[in-house]
């Protein structure tokens, strides 16, 4: 057998002598390269350790100081949470003032509502306009009760309200965009709710159109129980928040329902409530009959007269501003309070959730029950999410409150998912109680719509939770979180595309007719399904694909990668940054420009301008 030829790198296995005389073998290089392959898990929870001084090691003075500090932080945290919930309430009022009448007009398009896909996006758009799924659901209930909508037509709208209400916690996740790891977890924790709703609609809407199972099931339940009209839904959290929010603004939500049901007087009314206490007096009066042609005739009718007793005492009760102006003022103020409270809540949580407190909370929230009851943990989390949402009476408030906790690493994404599912159920229980307070003649339809909402969410949970393999929302949220952590501008694109651009596109196509809607959407959906299938096969079974489709390299780079778009965004940001710096330099020079020491000022200006110009060139070169 011929000897093996010597190669140049054969000496790598021989020992080499170092400067201190010790021999070191280069055969350790593979171990170094193997260590380089070990990467940190991007979804791993940050390590929480008890780094503080133990309670037993503190003297009396320090123990008192620690108790006072913790008590002060808890009071501040509760105060910021209270302001956060109030700001959400004000934000909802602001959106109703800005777009509430438009939402009522959208619901009047009965010919469009007969299209299930159009009804879905109308439910989304109206919930986005009023920022309250309970308000949009109450409009749907009032339209069904008055006979303007059938229950089967209202089902897609209810599904759309379920999607529209999930945008709030997605906005909340944007407040943690400064830290890449926190933003990855927070955005994934917020969008796992979105993906659950989208996937549920993707499966259940066609099933409902084909079989009508939700309508049939809820109709059977309503008819099988002789349910009497109950009391109003309990106001739990509203008892605490209403004194503050009603001192700022109070709305007459019946105006939006009146517009939706076709009341001509409602269009000329303001949404701002002026009289909080009124009384009605019904009398029999002679009124002019409308069926007399040649001469005036009279007829007896019951005339109801509304007597104003007591004015409201909020800030805008006697304002001369329009609803739009008041809405824009409230929108700016509520967004400012919302963002400020969120930032302060995150900072307080970061300072409080340290040491033993963080370790305990982390264990309680993320530890499973011992074997063989580990599978029960997620279902307990669903019950907890439903109970907490019932207490705060808003799924947006609950999911927005846990989003910062996901970002800082206190709650795992896998545990946040069942909490969000429970939140979806909790928000329907309030609607059921509210429906049971309806009059006897409209109780059946009102309760049936509320039950449709409940069974829609229960059906989604059956589809996407019991079997671990079917928990697609978690994997999709992680993929989107990883993408937005790398390209943080993509989070804004996602919100605009999914919650505004797509619904408006479908709504516009629905106005043009179902032929146009089908002709435009079917090719788009077909291309998306083809791309998804090819992506899955490229990852798992590339040998099943022809050689040309085993990668997307045959397409232009901008068509299958975000890298070119990221360069464009970076260049635009760099140019804006340069423009701002140059403008600041010029303004500073104009403010301090005098005739004294003119030569020194010119020299200093030249140096500063050159430094700014160099910074701009560095930014441009970096972006390129």
């Amino acid at each position: 057998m011929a000897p093996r030829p010597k190669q140049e790198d054969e000496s790598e296995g021989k020992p080499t002598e170092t400067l201190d005389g010790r021999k070191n073998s280069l055969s350790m290089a593979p171990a170094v390269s193997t260590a380089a392959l070990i990467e940190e898990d991007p979804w791993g929870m940050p390590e929480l350790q008890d780094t503080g001084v133990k309670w037993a090691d503190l003297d009396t003075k320090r123990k008192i100081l620690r108790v006072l500090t913790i008590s002060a932080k808890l009071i501040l945290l509760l105060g910021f949470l209270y302001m956060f919930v109030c700001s959400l309430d004000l934000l909802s009022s602001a959106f109703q003032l800005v777009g509430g009448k438009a939402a009522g007009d959208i619901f009047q398009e009965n010919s469009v509502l007969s299209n299930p896909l159009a009804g879905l996006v109308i439910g989304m758009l109206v919930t986005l306009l009023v920022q309250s799924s309970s308000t949009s659901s109450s409009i749907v209930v009032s339209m069904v009760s008055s006979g303007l909508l059938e229950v089967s037509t209202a089902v897609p709208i209810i599904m759309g309200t379920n999607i529209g209400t999930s945008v709030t916690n997605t906005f909340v996740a944007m407040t943690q965009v400064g830290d890449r790891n926190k933003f990855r977890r927070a955005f994934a924790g917020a969008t796992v709710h979105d993906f659950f709703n989208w996937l549920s609609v993707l499966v259940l809407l066609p099933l409902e159109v084909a079989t009508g199972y939700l309508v049939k099931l809820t109709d059977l339940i309503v008819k099988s129980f002789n349910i009497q009209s109950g009391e109003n839904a309990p106001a739990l959290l509203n008892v605490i928040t209403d004194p503050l929010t009603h001192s700022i603004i109070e709305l007459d939500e019946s105006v939006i329902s009146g517009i939706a049901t076709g009341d001509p007087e409602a269009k000329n009314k303001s949404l701002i409530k002026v009289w909080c206490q009124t009384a009605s007096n019904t009398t029999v009066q002679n009124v002019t009959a409308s069926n007399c042609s040649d001469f005036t005739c009279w007829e007896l009718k019951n005339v109801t007269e509304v007597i104003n007793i007591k004015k409201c005492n909020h800030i805008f009760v006697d304002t001369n501003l329009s609803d739009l102006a008041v809405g824009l003022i409230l929108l700016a103020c509520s967004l400012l309070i919302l963002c400020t409270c969120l930032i302060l809540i995150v900072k307080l949580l970061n300072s409080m959730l340290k040491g033993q407190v963080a370790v305990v909370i982390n264990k309680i929230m993320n530890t499973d029950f011992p074997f063989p009851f580990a599978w029960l943990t997620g279902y307990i989390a669903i019950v907890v999410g439903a109970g907490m949402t019932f207490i705060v009476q808003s799924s947006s408030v609950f999911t927005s409150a846990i989003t910062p906790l996901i970002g800082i690493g206190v709650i795992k994404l896998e545990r946040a998912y069942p909490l969000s599912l429970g939140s979806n159920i909790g928000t329907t229980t309030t609607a059921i109680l509210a429906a049971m307070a309806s009059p006897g003649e409209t109780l059946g339809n009102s309760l049936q719509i509320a039950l449709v909402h409940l069974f829609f969410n229960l059906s989604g949970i059956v589809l996407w939770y019991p079997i671990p393999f079917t928990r697609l929302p978690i994997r999709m949220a992680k993929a989107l979180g990883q993408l937005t952590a790398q390209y943080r501008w993509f989070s804004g694109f996602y919100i605009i595309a999914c919650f505004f651009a797509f619904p408006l596109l479908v709504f516009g196509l629905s106005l043009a007719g179902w032929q146009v809607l089908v002709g435009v959407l079917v090719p788009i959906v077909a291309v998306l399904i083809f791309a998804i299938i090819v992506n899955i096969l490229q990852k798992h079974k590339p040998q099943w694909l022809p050689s040309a489709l085993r990668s997307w390299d045959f397409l232009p780079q901008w068509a299958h990668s975000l890298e070119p778009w990221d360069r464009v965004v970076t260049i635009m940001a760099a140019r804006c940054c340069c423009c701002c710096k140059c403008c600041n330099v010029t303004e500073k020079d104009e403010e301090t420009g005098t005739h004294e020491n003119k030569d020194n000022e010119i020299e200093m200006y030249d140096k500063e301008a050159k430094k700014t110009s160099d910074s701009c060139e560095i930014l441009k070169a970096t972006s390129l």
Side-chain angles (χ1 to χ4, degrees), residues 349-506:
L349 288 174
N350 280 325
S351 64
M352 292 175 65
L353 298 180
K354 289 181 179 178
Q356 190 63 29
V357 177
V359 176
V360 171
I361 294 178
N362 194 14
K363 286 182 179 179
I364 293 174
M365 294 300 298
N366 302 306
T367 303
D368 294 334
F369 289 131
F371 182 82
F373 303 106
W375 60 275
L376 280 174
T377 310
Y379 295 97
I380 297 297
I382 292 176
V383 174
V384 170
M388 293 299 296
T389 304
F390 178 76
I391 291 173
V392 301
Q393 291 190 316
S394 173
S395 59
S396 299
V397 171
F398 177 71
T399 54
S400 300
I402 66 173
T403 298
L405 296 176
I406 302 169
I408 63 177
V410 175
I411 302 177
K412 288 183 179 179
L413 181 61
E414 289 77 8
R415 187 53 42 83
Y417 179 53
L419 288 172
S420 299
L421 301 187
S423 176
N424 271 0
I425 296 176
T427 193
T428 63
T429 56
T430 312
I432 292 173
L433 291 173
M436 291 179 65
S438 302
E441 61 273 10
T442 61
L443 175 62
N445 289 335
S446 302
L447 187 58
Q448 188 175 358
I449 286 296
L451 289 176
V452 163
H453 198 184
L454 172 63
F455 281 98
F456 167 72
N457 285 311
L458 288 175
S459 302
I461 291 174
V462 171
L463 282 173
W464 309 115
Y465 187 75
I467 305 173
F469 176 77
T470 61
R471 295 172 188 174
L472 295 179
I474 295 178
R475 283 178 280 180
M476 297 173 71
K478 282 187 174 182
L480 183 61
Q482 191 68 27
L483 188 64
T484 52
Q486 184 177 1
Y487 307 107
R488 279 176 270 193
W489 54 267
F490 189 77
S491 56
F493 174 80
Y494 165 80
I495 294 174
I496 293 172
C498 288
F499 294 102
F500 296 97
F502 174 72
L504 288 173
L505 173 65
V506 175

Side-chain angles (χ1 to χ4, degrees), residues 2 17-18 80 144 155 166 177 257 296 451 455 506 515-516 576 613:
E17 190 171 291
T18 58
F80 290 141
V144 172
V155 171
S166 61
V177 71
S257 301
T296 304
L451 289 176
F455 281 98
V506 175
Q515 297 92 342
V516 178
C576 291
S613 177

Side-chain angles (χ1 to χ4, degrees), residues 251-292:
L251 300 185
D252 186 2
E253 296 182 355
S254 63
V255 175
I256 304 177
S257 301
I259 295 173
T261 52
D263 184 4
E265 296 182 359
K267 290 189 176 182
N268 299 322
K269 290 182 180 179
S270 172
L271 278 170
I272 301 174
K273 185 181 285 189
V274 178
W275 298 96
C276 287
Q277 187 176 353
T278 59
S280 59
N281 184 24
T282 303
T283 57
V284 179
Q285 297 180 6
N286 284 325
V287 296
T288 305
S290 58
N291 55 357
C292 298

